[in-house]
Amino acid sequence: MVVTGWLESLRAAEKTALLQDGRRKVHYLFPDGKEMAEEYDEKTSELLVRKWRVKSALGALGQWQIEVGEPAPHGAGNLGCELIKESNANPIFMRKDTKMCFQWRIRNLPYPKDVYNVYVDQQERCVVVRTTNKKYYKKFSITDLERYQLPLDDSLLSFAYANCTLIISYQKPKEVLVAESELQKELKKVKMAHSSDRDCKTQ
């Protein structure tokens, strides 16, 4: 079963963990050199952040790529300010899951709710967002379903709109919920470092 295959790769990864600021931070190092860092709410075990880092062909560490969580502001000096100003006007896409749903938010969309069309493209295995006024278009894959190689189901997809933000939800299939529960059991076995450890890899 492919679901088990991904879960086994997580179990086999070298893991370090840290409790800090009400979050359980876990760093995974995979045999191929890829790194994944996750942050969970200490009380609810909700996933707050997931990011990836890979080495270049020359072995240099790349930048962290955020998969789940609020994009961290980067940049310094005037250039950083310009980027922040620009992002305040343009649509901002981010993923922020709940216990029962994969969830994405697209901010700075000023159009009324009835203009949005959100659906599954089975051929490309992705979610498509488009507006009838042709002002916005985006498609994205559900990375967890790709890893578990599970089919996309239109009936699990829904969306809401409020305060210039489109909120897209995809109910987690039973297989994913079971795998996530098993992973939490596995993570409880990982020895926790002290919060004063400044060298924690998840930082």
PDB file of all heavy atoms in Angstrom, residues 60-85:
ATOM      1  N   ALA A  60      25.699  22.324  -1.860  1.00  0.00           N
ATOM      2  CA  ALA A  60      25.352  23.487  -1.032  1.00  0.00           C
ATOM      3  C   ALA A  60      23.887  23.397  -0.606  1.00  0.00           C
ATOM      4  O   ALA A  60      23.034  22.934  -1.368  1.00  0.00           O
ATOM      5  CB  ALA A  60      25.596  24.781  -1.796  1.00  0.00           C
ATOM      6  N   LEU A  61      23.602  23.853   0.602  1.00  0.00           N
ATOM      7  CA  LEU A  61      22.224  23.843   1.086  1.00  0.00           C
ATOM      8  C   LEU A  61      21.411  24.938   0.417  1.00  0.00           C
ATOM      9  O   LEU A  61      21.851  26.085   0.323  1.00  0.00           O
ATOM     10  CB  LEU A  61      22.194  24.043   2.606  1.00  0.00           C
ATOM     11  CG  LEU A  61      22.656  22.854   3.453  1.00  0.00           C
ATOM     12  CD1 LEU A  61      22.719  23.254   4.917  1.00  0.00           C
ATOM     13  CD2 LEU A  61      21.715  21.670   3.267  1.00  0.00           C
ATOM     14  N   GLY A  62      20.212  24.590  -0.031  1.00  0.00           N
ATOM     15  CA  GLY A  62      19.337  25.572  -0.654  1.00  0.00           C
ATOM     16  C   GLY A  62      18.491  26.292   0.386  1.00  0.00           C
ATOM     17  O   GLY A  62      18.612  26.063   1.590  1.00  0.00           O
ATOM     18  N   GLN A  63      17.604  27.153  -0.080  1.00  0.00           N
ATOM     19  CA  GLN A  63      16.682  27.856   0.809  1.00  0.00           C
ATOM     20  C   GLN A  63      15.534  26.926   1.189  1.00  0.00           C
ATOM     21  O   GLN A  63      15.157  26.036   0.436  1.00  0.00           O
ATOM     22  CB  GLN A  63      16.115  29.103   0.099  1.00  0.00           C
ATOM     23  CG  GLN A  63      17.157  30.165  -0.212  1.00  0.00           C
ATOM     24  CD  GLN A  63      17.696  30.833   1.036  1.00  0.00           C
ATOM     25  OE1 GLN A  63      16.953  31.107   1.973  1.00  0.00           O
ATOM     26  NE2 GLN A  63      18.996  31.079   1.055  1.00  0.00           N
ATOM     27  N   TRP A  64      14.974  27.142   2.371  1.00  0.00           N
ATOM     28  CA  TRP A  64      13.793  26.397   2.784  1.00  0.00           C
ATOM     29  C   TRP A  64      12.614  26.800   1.908  1.00  0.00           C
ATOM     30  O   TRP A  64      12.372  27.987   1.693  1.00  0.00           O
ATOM     31  CB  TRP A  64      13.459  26.690   4.252  1.00  0.00           C
ATOM     32  CG  TRP A  64      14.369  26.009   5.231  1.00  0.00           C
ATOM     33  CD1 TRP A  64      15.372  26.589   5.947  1.00  0.00           C
ATOM     34  CD2 TRP A  64      14.345  24.634   5.611  1.00  0.00           C
ATOM     35  NE1 TRP A  64      15.984  25.657   6.750  1.00  0.00           N
ATOM     36  CE2 TRP A  64      15.371  24.445   6.574  1.00  0.00           C
ATOM     37  CE3 TRP A  64      13.556  23.536   5.248  1.00  0.00           C
ATOM     38  CZ2 TRP A  64      15.630  23.209   7.163  1.00  0.00           C
ATOM     39  CZ3 TRP A  64      13.814  22.300   5.843  1.00  0.00           C
ATOM     40  CH2 TRP A  64      14.841  22.147   6.787  1.00  0.00           C
ATOM     41  N   GLN A  65      11.879  25.822   1.414  1.00  0.00           N
ATOM     42  CA  GLN A  65      10.677  26.052   0.623  1.00  0.00           C
ATOM     43  C   GLN A  65       9.459  25.674   1.466  1.00  0.00           C
ATOM     44  O   GLN A  65       9.322  24.516   1.868  1.00  0.00           O
ATOM     45  CB  GLN A  65      10.707  25.225  -0.668  1.00  0.00           C
ATOM     46  CG  GLN A  65      11.904  25.506  -1.557  1.00  0.00           C
ATOM     47  CD  GLN A  65      11.915  26.939  -2.068  1.00  0.00           C
ATOM     48  OE1 GLN A  65      10.870  27.480  -2.460  1.00  0.00           O
ATOM     49  NE2 GLN A  65      13.080  27.565  -2.061  1.00  0.00           N
ATOM     50  N   ILE A  66       8.599  26.653   1.735  1.00  0.00           N
ATOM     51  CA  ILE A  66       7.464  26.415   2.620  1.00  0.00           C
ATOM     52  C   ILE A  66       6.326  25.721   1.863  1.00  0.00           C
ATOM     53  O   ILE A  66       5.891  26.177   0.810  1.00  0.00           O
ATOM     54  CB  ILE A  66       6.966  27.735   3.235  1.00  0.00           C
ATOM     55  CG1 ILE A  66       8.051  28.318   4.154  1.00  0.00           C
ATOM     56  CG2 ILE A  66       5.680  27.513   4.031  1.00  0.00           C
ATOM     57  CD1 ILE A  66       7.687  29.647   4.772  1.00  0.00           C
ATOM     58  N   GLU A  67       5.858  24.614   2.421  1.00  0.00           N
ATOM     59  CA  GLU A  67       4.716  23.884   1.859  1.00  0.00           C
ATOM     60  C   GLU A  67       3.441  24.203   2.635  1.00  0.00           C
ATOM     61  O   GLU A  67       2.373  24.378   2.054  1.00  0.00           O
ATOM     62  CB  GLU A  67       4.994  22.384   1.901  1.00  0.00           C
ATOM     63  CG  GLU A  67       3.857  21.530   1.365  1.00  0.00           C
ATOM     64  CD  GLU A  67       4.170  20.050   1.458  1.00  0.00           C
ATOM     65  OE1 GLU A  67       5.313  19.652   1.159  1.00  0.00           O
ATOM     66  OE2 GLU A  67       3.270  19.280   1.842  1.00  0.00           O
ATOM     67  N   VAL A  68       3.557  24.264   3.954  1.00  0.00           N
ATOM     68  CA  VAL A  68       2.423  24.571   4.825  1.00  0.00           C
ATOM     69  C   VAL A  68       2.838  25.669   5.786  1.00  0.00           C
ATOM     70  O   VAL A  68       3.936  25.628   6.341  1.00  0.00           O
ATOM     71  CB  VAL A  68       1.983  23.334   5.641  1.00  0.00           C
ATOM     72  CG1 VAL A  68       0.818  23.685   6.560  1.00  0.00           C
ATOM     73  CG2 VAL A  68       1.603  22.180   4.721  1.00  0.00           C
ATOM     74  N   GLY A  69       1.962  26.663   5.962  1.00  0.00           N
ATOM     75  CA  GLY A  69       2.243  27.713   6.929  1.00  0.00           C
ATOM     76  C   GLY A  69       2.383  29.082   6.292  1.00  0.00           C
ATOM     77  O   GLY A  69       2.429  29.226   5.062  1.00  0.00           O
ATOM     78  N   GLU A  70       2.459  30.071   7.139  1.00  0.00           N
ATOM     79  CA  GLU A  70       2.559  31.466   6.714  1.00  0.00           C
ATOM     80  C   GLU A  70       3.916  31.716   6.071  1.00  0.00           C
ATOM     81  O   GLU A  70       4.943  31.389   6.656  1.00  0.00           O
ATOM     82  CB  GLU A  70       2.403  32.386   7.933  1.00  0.00           C
ATOM     83  CG  GLU A  70       2.232  33.837   7.579  1.00  0.00           C
ATOM     84  CD  GLU A  70       0.776  34.198   7.288  1.00  0.00           C
ATOM     85  OE1 GLU A  70      -0.116  33.557   7.858  1.00  0.00           O
ATOM     86  OE2 GLU A  70       0.569  35.129   6.491  1.00  0.00           O
ATOM     87  N   PRO A  71       3.946  32.277   4.860  1.00  0.00           N
ATOM     88  CA  PRO A  71       5.239  32.601   4.243  1.00  0.00           C
ATOM     89  C   PRO A  71       6.000  33.593   5.116  1.00  0.00           C
ATOM     90  O   PRO A  71       5.459  34.614   5.526  1.00  0.00           O
ATOM     91  CB  PRO A  71       4.848  33.232   2.903  1.00  0.00           C
ATOM     92  CG  PRO A  71       3.458  32.756   2.642  1.00  0.00           C
ATOM     93  CD  PRO A  71       2.812  32.609   3.992  1.00  0.00           C
ATOM     94  N   ALA A  72       7.250  33.277   5.407  1.00  0.00           N
ATOM     95  CA  ALA A  72       8.062  34.165   6.246  1.00  0.00           C
ATOM     96  C   ALA A  72       8.589  35.316   5.409  1.00  0.00           C
ATOM     97  O   ALA A  72       9.075  35.102   4.302  1.00  0.00           O
ATOM     98  CB  ALA A  72       9.227  33.388   6.854  1.00  0.00           C
ATOM     99  N   PRO A  73       8.478  36.575   5.892  1.00  0.00           N
ATOM    100  CA  PRO A  73       9.011  37.711   5.137  1.00  0.00           C
ATOM    101  C   PRO A  73      10.518  37.648   5.066  1.00  0.00           C
ATOM    102  O   PRO A  73      11.188  37.426   6.070  1.00  0.00           O
ATOM    103  CB  PRO A  73       8.545  38.932   5.952  1.00  0.00           C
ATOM    104  CG  PRO A  73       8.338  38.409   7.332  1.00  0.00           C
ATOM    105  CD  PRO A  73       7.894  36.984   7.183  1.00  0.00           C
ATOM    106  N   HIS A  74      11.041  37.785   3.860  1.00  0.00           N
ATOM    107  CA  HIS A  74      12.489  37.772   3.667  1.00  0.00           C
ATOM    108  C   HIS A  74      12.913  39.079   2.997  1.00  0.00           C
ATOM    109  O   HIS A  74      12.106  39.837   2.509  1.00  0.00           O
ATOM    110  CB  HIS A  74      12.918  36.591   2.782  1.00  0.00           C
ATOM    111  CG  HIS A  74      12.732  35.268   3.453  1.00  0.00           C
ATOM    112  ND1 HIS A  74      13.494  34.883   4.529  1.00  0.00           N
ATOM    113  CD2 HIS A  74      11.866  34.256   3.211  1.00  0.00           C
ATOM    114  CE1 HIS A  74      13.110  33.675   4.913  1.00  0.00           C
ATOM    115  NE2 HIS A  74      12.124  33.279   4.124  1.00  0.00           N
ATOM    116  N   GLY A  75      14.216  39.258   2.940  1.00  0.00           N
ATOM    117  CA  GLY A  75      14.738  40.457   2.276  1.00  0.00           C
ATOM    118  C   GLY A  75      15.247  41.451   3.288  1.00  0.00           C
ATOM    119  O   GLY A  75      14.877  41.453   4.447  1.00  0.00           O
ATOM    120  N   ALA A  76      16.124  42.298   2.847  1.00  0.00           N
ATOM    121  CA  ALA A  76      16.688  43.305   3.745  1.00  0.00           C
ATOM    122  C   ALA A  76      16.724  44.649   3.048  1.00  0.00           C
ATOM    123  O   ALA A  76      16.734  44.747   1.836  1.00  0.00           O
ATOM    124  CB  ALA A  76      18.104  42.887   4.157  1.00  0.00           C
ATOM    125  N   GLY A  77      16.716  45.704   3.845  1.00  0.00           N
ATOM    126  CA  GLY A  77      16.826  47.043   3.276  1.00  0.00           C
ATOM    127  C   GLY A  77      15.608  47.435   2.469  1.00  0.00           C
ATOM    128  O   GLY A  77      14.511  46.931   2.656  1.00  0.00           O
ATOM    129  N   ASN A  78      15.826  48.333   1.513  1.00  0.00           N
ATOM    130  CA  ASN A  78      14.722  48.873   0.721  1.00  0.00           C
ATOM    131  C   ASN A  78      14.047  47.810  -0.136  1.00  0.00           C
ATOM    132  O   ASN A  78      12.849  47.840  -0.344  1.00  0.00           O
ATOM    133  CB  ASN A  78      15.231  50.009  -0.182  1.00  0.00           C
ATOM    134  CG  ASN A  78      15.654  51.225   0.629  1.00  0.00           C
ATOM    135  OD1 ASN A  78      15.162  51.426   1.738  1.00  0.00           O
ATOM    136  ND2 ASN A  78      16.584  52.009   0.090  1.00  0.00           N
ATOM    137  N   LEU A  79      14.868  46.863  -0.630  1.00  0.00           N
ATOM    138  CA  LEU A  79      14.294  45.833  -1.497  1.00  0.00           C
ATOM    139  C   LEU A  79      13.243  45.030  -0.741  1.00  0.00           C
ATOM    140  O   LEU A  79      12.172  44.755  -1.251  1.00  0.00           O
ATOM    141  CB  LEU A  79      15.404  44.898  -2.001  1.00  0.00           C
ATOM    142  CG  LEU A  79      14.940  43.739  -2.901  1.00  0.00           C
ATOM    143  CD1 LEU A  79      14.222  44.278  -4.126  1.00  0.00           C
ATOM    144  CD2 LEU A  79      16.117  42.868  -3.294  1.00  0.00           C
ATOM    145  N   GLY A  80      13.553  44.673   0.517  1.00  0.00           N
ATOM    146  CA  GLY A  80      12.590  43.934   1.320  1.00  0.00           C
ATOM    147  C   GLY A  80      11.301  44.702   1.507  1.00  0.00           C
ATOM    148  O   GLY A  80      10.213  44.153   1.414  1.00  0.00           O
ATOM    149  N   CYS A  81      11.399  45.996   1.763  1.00  0.00           N
ATOM    150  CA  CYS A  81      10.204  46.830   1.936  1.00  0.00           C
ATOM    151  C   CYS A  81       9.368  46.860   0.673  1.00  0.00           C
ATOM    152  O   CYS A  81       8.152  46.794   0.719  1.00  0.00           O
ATOM    153  CB  CYS A  81      10.611  48.250   2.337  1.00  0.00           C
ATOM    154  SG  CYS A  81      11.377  48.345   3.966  1.00  0.00           S
ATOM    155  N   GLU A  82      10.047  46.951  -0.478  1.00  0.00           N
ATOM    156  CA  GLU A  82       9.315  46.997  -1.744  1.00  0.00           C
ATOM    157  C   GLU A  82       8.563  45.697  -1.974  1.00  0.00           C
ATOM    158  O   GLU A  82       7.426  45.695  -2.441  1.00  0.00           O
ATOM    159  CB  GLU A  82      10.300  47.258  -2.895  1.00  0.00           C
ATOM    160  CG  GLU A  82      10.853  48.689  -2.901  1.00  0.00           C
ATOM    161  CD  GLU A  82      11.960  48.851  -3.928  1.00  0.00           C
ATOM    162  OE1 GLU A  82      12.187  47.892  -4.683  1.00  0.00           O
ATOM    163  OE2 GLU A  82      12.577  49.926  -3.951  1.00  0.00           O
ATOM    164  N   LEU A  83       9.206  44.578  -1.644  1.00  0.00           N
ATOM    165  CA  LEU A  83       8.552  43.284  -1.838  1.00  0.00           C
ATOM    166  C   LEU A  83       7.327  43.157  -0.950  1.00  0.00           C
ATOM    167  O   LEU A  83       6.292  42.646  -1.362  1.00  0.00           O
ATOM    168  CB  LEU A  83       9.543  42.155  -1.547  1.00  0.00           C
ATOM    169  CG  LEU A  83      10.681  41.981  -2.563  1.00  0.00           C
ATOM    170  CD1 LEU A  83      11.667  40.936  -2.058  1.00  0.00           C
ATOM    171  CD2 LEU A  83      10.149  41.593  -3.928  1.00  0.00           C
ATOM    172  N   ILE A  84       7.439  43.625   0.289  1.00  0.00           N
ATOM    173  CA  ILE A  84       6.320  43.550   1.219  1.00  0.00           C
ATOM    174  C   ILE A  84       5.171  44.432   0.730  1.00  0.00           C
ATOM    175  O   ILE A  84       4.010  44.044   0.746  1.00  0.00           O
ATOM    176  CB  ILE A  84       6.768  43.963   2.634  1.00  0.00           C
ATOM    177  CG1 ILE A  84       7.717  42.903   3.198  1.00  0.00           C
ATOM    178  CG2 ILE A  84       5.572  44.118   3.558  1.00  0.00           C
ATOM    179  CD1 ILE A  84       8.395  43.304   4.491  1.00  0.00           C
ATOM    180  N   LYS A  85       5.489  45.633   0.253  1.00  0.00           N
ATOM    181  CA  LYS A  85       4.445  46.520  -0.254  1.00  0.00           C
ATOM    182  C   LYS A  85       3.726  45.896  -1.442  1.00  0.00           C
ATOM    183  O   LYS A  85       2.515  45.960  -1.565  1.00  0.00           O
ATOM    184  CB  LYS A  85       5.062  47.867  -0.665  1.00  0.00           C
ATOM    185  CG  LYS A  85       5.456  48.756   0.512  1.00  0.00           C
ATOM    186  CD  LYS A  85       6.078  50.054   0.027  1.00  0.00           C
ATOM    187  CE  LYS A  85       6.504  50.943   1.200  1.00  0.00           C
ATOM    188  NZ  LYS A  85       7.177  52.178   0.729  1.00  0.00           N
TER     189      LYS A  85
END
